[in-house]
Structures are given as C-alpha cells and as structure tokens.
Amino acid sequence: MNSHTTVIVEWYGPYTYDEICENPDWENGLYLATGKLKYEREATIQYCGITEGSYIGRLKNHHKVHEITKEQEFWIGEIAYPSNASRHFLEMAESMIIYFWQPELNERKKLSLPKPVTLINKWYKKDNSPK
C-alpha cells in the first residue's frame, strides 16, 4: 500500500522587499514573488522558491525576482504540517505549486508531474488574521 503525504503551508503577507529586509530572522520556508513583469497588465505569481536560510539572504541576490518591475510583493510560507518538516517537504510543496500555477519566472518543475501530495494552503494577512 502506498502512503500518501499531506503538507500544510501557512502563508503570510503580502510583504514588500523592504519589510523582508527589516526581518532578517525570518527563515526556512517557501516564498511567492508576485507582481508585474515588463509589459504585463496584471500582477500575478511570478516565482515560487524555497530557502533554508533567511528570506532576505535568498532574495537579495536572487537570479529572477528582480525581473518583477512593478507591484513587487512577497508571501512567506511556513510548513505547519508535518512539524519539523525537512527540505523534502519544502520541495514537495514547491513542486506542486509550480506545477499548478506555472509561474512565469520558474523554469524548472513546470512540466514534470509532482509526486502525489495533498497540499493545503492557509492564507494570513501580515497581522496574522485570516485572509
């Protein structure tokens, strides 16, 4: 019998780049970069990634997110379940999100079907109230 995996991600935001700079202790999780690329009319999810270090350390010299030229914002995602999730669970969630949303700036993981996982996303405003 195959075991099935469930991952719960709690998303907080949206934050500006400056707000993330002001919180160098935020670390270890997923992030969504949203906004508009050149010539786009609507802000959308442009990139999904993971970090095991600080978010600002990852975003400061990021190879893609600085291509978002207008209305740039970030959502920070923490794995709520399973507790003490390893990089394996971060990658499972990231793969599912990229495959489903097809963010423009992600080049990998858009075509390959991710491993089966139930991904539950909970969304919160910056003040931790439900969105």
Side-chain angles (χ1 to χ4, degrees):
M1 175 187 250
N2 290 337
S3 64
H4 187 79
T5 303
T6 298
V7 177
I8 299 173
V9 180
E10 293 180 342
W11 294 98
Y12 299 90
Y15 294 101
T16 64
Y17 183 83
D18 290 339
E19 287 174 311
I20 293 175
C21 285
E22 294 166 5
N23 292 283
D25 55 323
W26 292 352
E27 58 186 23
N28 194 35
L30 296 123
Y31 58 93
L32 296 173
T34 67
K36 298 178 190 176
L37 303 178
K38 286 184 179 181
Y39 311 113
E40 287 187 333
R41 294 178 186 238
E42 287 188 41
T44 61
I45 295 170
Q46 301 290 355
Y47 191 88
C48 176
I50 59 176
T51 184
E52 290 183 288
S54 71
Y55 288 101
I56 192 55
R58 178 70 179 110
L59 296 175
K60 190 172 17 177
N61 296 310
H62 199 280
H63 63 292
K64 291 286 185 177
V65 300
H66 298 293
E67 293 180 33
I68 304 169
T69 57
K70 296 178 212 146
E71 299 178 32
Q72 183 186 64
E73 293 181 317
F74 298 92
W75 287 85
I76 303 301
E78 298 176 1
I79 303 280
Y81 179 86
S83 60
N84 300 319
S86 65
R87 182 175 180 93
H88 171 74
F89 292 97
L90 289 170
E91 289 185 10
M92 288 179 79
E94 178 195 40
S95 295
M96 185 64 71
I97 290 165
I98 292 170
Y99 184 79
F100 179 77
W101 268 320
Q102 299 285 306
E104 184 66 31
L105 297 177
N106 283 96
E107 294 173 1
R108 298 175 46 220
K109 300 184 179 182
K110 287 169 93 170
L111 299 177
S112 50
L113 188 64
K115 293 179 181 177
V117 61
T118 298
L119 180 62
I120 300 170
N121 293 289
K122 296 180 175 182
W123 300 89
Y124 298 93
K125 299 175 190 175
K126 290 189 261 186
D127 66 3
N128 294 333
S129 65
K131 182 148 177 76

